[in-house]
């Protein structure tokens, strides 16, 4: 992992809500951040309330007391800087493989957004320091384990706060390097945290929300591709497009189902292959469920994605910290840091992904089975028996689908008490987010294998031509992978098509094809 390449696009961070597209732009594509002037002024105003409380005799959680089960311990004024530093050092207790740069950057941006709401009580210079770290392209090392998804993503966010203090590690071209060294090279100054700021930097659901937003962006692309690969499989297996008709789909008016069916109709429009068996003499009455029910399954996944987007958009309007500073200056404890709302939809999306992948694998298997493929050669092999064709590609699909079913087991129903039973119910939302990322990767591979298989199956239907959309996608695949012939090393072919899926190249053709229908 190397430092992020910073782009020229700018995202203004203020007290208002942020869009999912802005988060992806900063996290994944290196957009720069700019603090809204009115938001910075509000930070200075709110900070005055915290400074007053810091000199008050009344104990205030996180300002003049310890944390968690140690909240009853009053901390004298001269030790409160030590309190914040100790909080970050002790909470940066993660373990395991470092998480991806885009996840760290999303987490940093979302914490900055919450700071800029004016409800956390941080100083303007603290928000500026986090913005400068983002714009530097330096990516703190954040270990995978350490968050229970309650009281915030504590250990991951503490690793970022540690970096702001000039401690910990940052990713470099040749591996991790000391943060202090990297900050000096980048012209950044380590931050000394004031009262309340350690909590403000760590007490949020930003890691799990960041991973949710990145997954949502990926799944919009992948669900469109799933509709395409399903259409290609229907076409390759001499299936009917009549079941995708708008009037039939309207009998069950789920929004996602209507979208998927429309996508499949557009992909199959003007197909010579489909037209070749549309007559009354065709003996087939119904296609298998994996073909006929694709819009219903894909549509349910789409509706799940819509629900997840609703939750994410609410979170992007939230100010998550404990305690929070209210408009009248009160500092109040709360439970808004609990990750249940995010954790549930992270798990829900993993379920949807597993099912979309499962039905794709069944369509692939049908194309390879000579008894069910309606005239295609066994395993789409050039010389079946001598050649095995795509036999083992389906094994790979099956192995991934099995893994995705395990990823679909919800993490958010789990809980394990912590902090001497003070934090006795947690969300495990971070764990749900981590397995969702694995699920997104798995779905990418499963759809790539169906695309690879369907493209070859369409080749075998020559001289009949596929639909213009599916033909264009088949030709895109052929630019990366040769057509039918003797067996060749298959793993690179799968990887090449995976890259077509990830890069957006397939979606670009779909966007063009649908717009011309």
């Amino acid at each position: 992992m190397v430092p992020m390449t910073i782009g020229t696009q700018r995202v203004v961070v203020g007290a208002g809500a942020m869009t999912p597209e802005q988060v992806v732009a900063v996290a994944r594509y290196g957009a720069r951040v700019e603090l809204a002037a009115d938001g910075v002024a509000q930070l200075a105003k709110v900070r005055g309330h915290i400074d007053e409380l810091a000199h008050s005799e009344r104990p205030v959680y996180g300002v003049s007391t310890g944390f968690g089960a140690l909240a009853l311990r009053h901390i004298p004024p001269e030790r409160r800087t030590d309190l914040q530093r100790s909080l970050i050092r002790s909470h940066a207790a993660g373990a395991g493989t470092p998480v991806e740069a885009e996840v760290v950057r999303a987490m940093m941006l979302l914490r900055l957004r919450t700071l800029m709401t004016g409800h956390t009580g941080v100083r303007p210079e603290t928000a500026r320091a986090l913005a400068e770290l983002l714009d530097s392209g330096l990516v703190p090392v954040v270990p995978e384990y350490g968050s229970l998804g309650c009281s915030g993503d504590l250990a991951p966010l503490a690793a970022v706060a540690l970096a702001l203090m000039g401690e910990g590690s940052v990713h470099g071209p040749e591996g991790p390097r000391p943060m202090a060294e990297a900050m000096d090279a980048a012209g950044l100054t380590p931050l000394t945290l004031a009262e309340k700021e350690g909590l403000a930097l760590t007490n949020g659901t930003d890691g799990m929300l960041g991973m949710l937003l990145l997954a949502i962006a990926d799944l919009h692309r992948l669900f469109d591709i799933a509709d395409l690969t399903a259409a290609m499989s229907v076409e390759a297996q001499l299936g009917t497009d009549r079941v995708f008709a708008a009037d039939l789909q309207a009998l069950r008016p789920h929004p996602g189902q209507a979208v998927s069916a429309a996508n499949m109709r557009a992909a199959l429009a003007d197909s010579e292959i489909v037209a070749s068996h549309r007559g009354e003499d065709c003996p087939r009455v119904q296609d298998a469920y994996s073909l006929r029910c694709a819009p219903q399954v894909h549509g349910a996944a789409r509706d799940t994605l819509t629900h997840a987007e609703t939750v994410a958009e609410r979170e992007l309007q939230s100010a998550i910290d404990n305690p929070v500073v209210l408009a009248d200056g009160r500092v109040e404890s709360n439970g808004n840091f609990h990750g249940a709302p995010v954790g549930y939809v992270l798990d829900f999306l993993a379920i949807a992904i597993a099912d979309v992948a499962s039905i794709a694998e069944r369509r692939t298997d049908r194309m390879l089975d000579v008894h069910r493929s309606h005239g295609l050669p066994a395993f789409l092999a050039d010389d079946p028996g001598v050649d095995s064709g795509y036999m083992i590609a389906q094994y790979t699909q099956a192995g991934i689908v099995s893994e995705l079913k395990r990823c679909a087991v919800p993490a958010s129903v789990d809980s394990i008490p912590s902090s001497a039973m003070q934090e006795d119910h947690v969300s495990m939302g971070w764990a749900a987010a981590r397995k969702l990322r694995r699920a997104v990767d798995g779905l990418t591979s499963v759809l790539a294998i169906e695309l690879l298989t369907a493209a070859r199956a369409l080749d075998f239907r020559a001289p009949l031509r596929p639909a213009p959309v599916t033909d264009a996608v088949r030709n895109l695949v052929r630019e990366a992978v040769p057509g039918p012939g003797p067996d060749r090393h298959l793993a690179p072919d799968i990887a090449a098509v995976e890259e077509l899926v990830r890069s957006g190249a397939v979606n670009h053709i779909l966007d063009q094809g649908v717009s011309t229908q």
Side-chain angles (χ1 to χ4, degrees):
M1 190 182 298
V2 298
M4 173 66 65
T5 300
I6 298 301
T8 57
Q9 180 185 350
R10 282 196 171 273
V11 171
V12 177
V13 186
M18 181 172 286
T19 68
E21 293 77 15
Q22 288 175 318
V23 176
V24 174
V26 173
R28 182 168 285 171
Y29 302 114
R32 303 177 71 87
V33 297
E34 178 181 333
L35 301 184
D38 57 347
V40 174
Q42 180 66 13
L43 290 190
K45 178 182 177 181
V46 174
R47 181 64 198 181
H49 298 306
I50 298 298
D51 290 339
E52 289 178 11
L53 290 171
H55 295 91
S56 170
E57 293 297 319
R58 181 170 67 90
V60 178
Y61 179 69
V63 175
S64 54
T65 74
F67 309 103
L70 301 176
L72 297 179
R73 166 76 189 277
H74 183 266
I75 309 298
E78 66 273 11
R79 297 299 309 279
R80 290 176 188 169
T81 297
D82 295 338
L83 170 68
Q84 302 302 315
R85 183 170 57 245
S86 294
L87 168 70
I88 300 305
R89 287 174 173 172
S90 65
H91 283 43
T97 303
V99 301
E100 303 83 1
E102 66 177 18
V103 172
V104 179
R105 286 181 59 81
M107 185 166 59
M108 293 164 67
L109 175 67
L110 291 168
R111 185 76 322 223
L112 177 61
R113 189 207 65 81
T114 291
L115 299 184
M116 290 297 292
T117 64
H119 290 293
T120 70
V122 301
R123 299 166 298 160
E125 51 262 47
T126 301
R128 289 194 193 99
L130 186 51
E132 289 170 357
L133 182 58
L134 266 169
D135 277 356
S136 73
L138 298 176
V139 180
V141 174
V142 176
E144 182 168 18
Y145 298 105
S147 172
L148 300 182
C150 200
S151 292
D153 289 319
L154 288 177
L157 283 166
V160 172
L162 193 70
L164 287 174
M165 293 164 47
E167 302 182 26
S169 300
V170 63
H171 293 283
E174 299 176 359
R177 60 189 293 213
M179 190 67 205
E181 175 188 307
M183 289 186 88
D184 184 61
L188 301 178
T189 302
L191 184 68
T192 299
L193 301 181
E195 293 91 348
K196 175 66 173 64
E197 291 188 325
L199 276 179
L201 287 168
T202 58
N203 222 325
T205 54
D206 309 287
M208 64 183 87
L209 176 58
M211 287 185 274
L212 174 61
L213 290 166
L214 291 165
I216 287 171
D218 290 333
L219 290 174
H220 274 293
R221 172 175 48 81
L222 290 173
F223 288 167
D224 282 348
I225 291 175
D227 293 340
L228 164 77
T229 57
M232 293 177 73
S233 293
V234 168
E235 190 175 28
Q237 295 175 68
L238 305 183
T240 180
D241 61 348
R242 287 178 294 185
V243 295
F244 310 132
D247 54 355
L248 290 175
Q249 300 299 316
L251 297 176
R252 196 183 195 189
H254 291 290
Q257 178 177 328
V259 171
S260 286
N263 286 347
M264 294 184 68
R265 289 196 304 272
L268 292 170
D270 301 322
S271 167
E272 290 183 7
I273 298 174
V274 172
S276 70
H277 57 89
R278 195 176 268 143
E280 295 296 329
D281 56 343
C282 179
R284 295 171 60 190
V285 178
Q286 296 184 137
D287 291 325
Y289 287 5
S290 60
L291 306 177
R292 192 183 353 150
C293 302
Q296 287 74 17
V297 173
H298 296 182
R302 287 181 177 278
D303 291 341
T304 301
L305 183 59
T306 298
H307 173 59
E309 288 181 291
T310 300
V311 172
E313 287 166 4
R314 291 172 186 156
E315 289 288 300
L316 286 171
Q317 301 172 42
S318 303
I320 296 178
D321 192 13
N322 182 50
V324 291
V325 185
L326 299 176
D328 59 5
R330 284 180 296 129
V331 178
E332 298 284 359
S333 292
N334 66 91
N336 285 334
F337 48 72
H338 199 288
V342 184
Y344 290 171
V345 294
L346 289 163
D347 280 334
F348 201 177
L349 285 176
I351 292 170
I353 286 173
D355 205 32
V356 171
S358 178
I359 197 171
E361 182 274 330
R362 288 292 81 204
R363 292 190 297 260
T364 302
D365 183 66
R366 296 188 73 84
M367 286 185 281
L368 302 178
D369 183 353
V370 69
H371 301 294
R372 294 179 292 150
S373 64
H374 304 284
L376 295 172
F379 302 106
L380 303 183
D382 182 64
D383 184 3
V386 174
D387 295 315
S388 295
Y390 285 171
M391 178 193 296
I392 308 303
Q394 183 268 331
Y395 287 31
T396 300
Q397 253 193 339
I400 295 170
V401 168
S402 183
E403 173 67 18
L404 293 182
K405 292 174 183 177
R406 291 189 288 273
C407 286
V409 176
S412 57
V413 298
D414 192 14
S415 178
I416 190 164
S418 57
S419 194
M421 293 298 287
Q422 174 74 1
E423 300 168 7
D424 59 352
H425 184 274
V426 297
S427 77
M428 295 297 179
W430 174 274
R434 294 307 295 164
K435 67 184 180 64
L436 178 60
R437 286 185 67 82
R438 290 194 293 276
V440 169
D441 285 343
L443 179 60
T444 300
S445 297
V446 167
L447 294 179
I449 292 171
E450 184 182 15
L451 177 55
L452 182 69
T453 305
R456 178 175 279 203
L458 291 177
D459 287 334
F460 281 116
R461 294 301 182 189
L464 293 174
R465 291 190 61 81
V469 171
T470 58
D471 193 29
V473 174
R474 191 265 308 267
N475 292 338
L476 176 69
V477 172
R478 287 292 158 258
E479 293 175 9
V481 176
D487 281 352
R488 46 187 275 118
H489 185 191
L490 197 49
D493 290 355
I494 294 172
V497 179
E498 284 177 334
E499 182 55 30
L500 293 178
V501 171
R502 287 193 180 93
S503 69
V506 177
N507 297 86
H508 179 67
I509 290 177
L510 293 181
D511 292 341
Q512 289 182 320
V514 170
S515 66
T516 60
Q517 297 301 316

